[in-house]
Structures are given as C-alpha cells and as structure tokens.
Amino acid sequence: FTTGHRRSLGMFLNGEAIQGRGTRGQRVVDDSFMMLMNANDEGVDWKLPTGLADEWEVVVDTAGDTRPGTTISSGSLLLPTRSTFVLRVSS
C-alpha cells in the first residue's frame, strides 16, 4: 500500500492449496480461513470476497462482539477498532 493512513489487513489462507504431502504421499487438505486485522482508530467496513464462501464461521473475535461459532453470510463485516477476526469457510 502506498497510503500511510491504511491500518488494516486481510489475508485468505486456502486449505485446499497446501503444496506439501502427508507422510504417505497423500494430498493434505485443511480448512480455509480469512484473517482480518484492524489497527485503525475507527472501525473498518470489510467486504468479504465473493466466490470463496457463502458463509463464514467466526473462530476469533478479539473485540468480543461476536461469539465463536456464529455464522456470517458473505457480504460486509464491520471490523471494530483495533481488533482481529478469524473466519473459517463454513461447510
């Protein structure tokens, strides 16, 4: 980013794209996660990417506003001030 005022980051961890192999040579597959971090002084409205999941399960919400296990539909998510969300693709 070239703007100094951006203080948020999102990262998708694709459990279907693991390159390594298991001990018996089998393909390794895991859950997929979206990690959203906001170090800003105000909330950030995140638009969750389309095509990755129809629903996301909250794994971590450091702001404590959303209980783990809560399901969020794709769309937007308000990420509170100085917080981190970890979402898992809901199957």
Side-chain angles (χ1 to χ4, degrees):
F1 294 77
T2 58
T3 57
H5 65 278
R6 302 258 181 211
R7 300 180 192 275
S8 55
L9 175 69
M11 177 178 13
F12 181 67
L13 305 168
N14 188 351
E16 296 284 329
I18 298 171
Q19 304 254 334
R21 296 285 178 172
T23 56
R24 296 187 179 132
Q26 75 275 21
R27 181 171 179 246
V28 177
V29 178
D30 198 0
D31 291 336
S32 295
F33 296 89
M34 177 68 71
M35 185 173 191
L36 305 172
M37 297 167 275
N38 180 19
N40 206 341
D41 294 349
E42 51 193 53
V44 172
D45 191 25
W46 277 91
K47 179 148 175 74
L48 295 171
T50 57
L52 295 177
D54 293 329
E55 292 185 327
W56 302 85
E57 177 189 345
V58 175
V59 178
V60 174
D61 169 12
T62 62
D65 297 333
T66 309
R67 295 182 64 151
T70 300
T71 302
I72 297 174
S73 296
S74 289
S76 62
L77 171 69
L78 180 61
L79 194 60
T81 302
R82 295 185 182 92
S83 64
T84 299
F85 262 72
V86 178
L87 306 173
R88 178 180 19 232
V89 172
S90 188
S91 36

